[in-house]
Amino acid sequence: MGISKPSQGLAKHQKIWLFPFCWGTSPICSTLLMLNLGCTLFRLTPEEALAGVTRNAARALGREQRIGMLRQGMDADFCLWRISTPAELAYSYGVNPLVDVIKGGKLIHQ
């Protein structure tokens, strides 16, 4: 019998979400650290952790109609990272491969 991920039982019932900063419940202000913790503590794949800080988090907030995915008609808020795979975002913290930030369809950080 193999070791199951802590998230497997929960995933049968609902999607996993990871909030980088939520007043009163999560004091962590780093999305990259949340990705790392999701992968190391909950044994999520990098893709599952990325979904947890994007579309699943938006759904948990009841905002999935406007945020959480890049799709026509949704708010264009996203980061561009200098990476080859999602695993690079979760691999280490303290390193920031951020290139650009787009908010409301406009470049706000370069």
Side-chain angles (χ1 to χ4, degrees):
M1 180 176 209
I3 298 173
S4 65
K5 296 193 311 189
S7 60
Q8 283 178 331
L10 180 61
K12 292 178 185 176
H13 305 287
Q14 66 186 28
K15 297 290 183 184
I16 303 297
W17 46 266
L18 303 166
F19 286 110
F21 187 76
C22 187
W23 289 104
T25 60
S26 177
I28 299 172
C29 296
S30 171
T31 300
L32 298 178
L33 179 56
M34 291 304 295
L35 291 170
N36 178 276
L37 292 173
C39 291
T40 57
L41 296 179
F42 294 107
R43 290 183 273 204
L44 299 175
T45 66
E47 292 78 12
E48 289 171 327
L50 195 54
V53 298
T54 56
R55 65 177 177 264
N56 295 342
R59 187 176 306 118
L61 293 171
R63 307 233 9 245
E64 69 273 14
Q65 299 302 317
R66 300 290 312 155
I67 64 172
M69 291 185 284
L70 290 176
R71 221 177 238 174
Q72 186 175 354
M74 297 181 80
D75 294 347
D77 299 344
F78 60 94
C79 296
L80 296 174
W81 307 96
R82 184 172 284 115
I83 60 169
S84 299
T85 67
E88 291 179 54
L89 289 175
Y91 179 70
S92 62
Y93 53 91
V95 175
N96 190 353
L98 181 69
V99 175
D100 292 323
V101 176
I102 310 296
K103 178 106 173 124
K106 296 184 171 118
L107 180 65
I108 63 165
H109 177 272
Q110 193 170 24

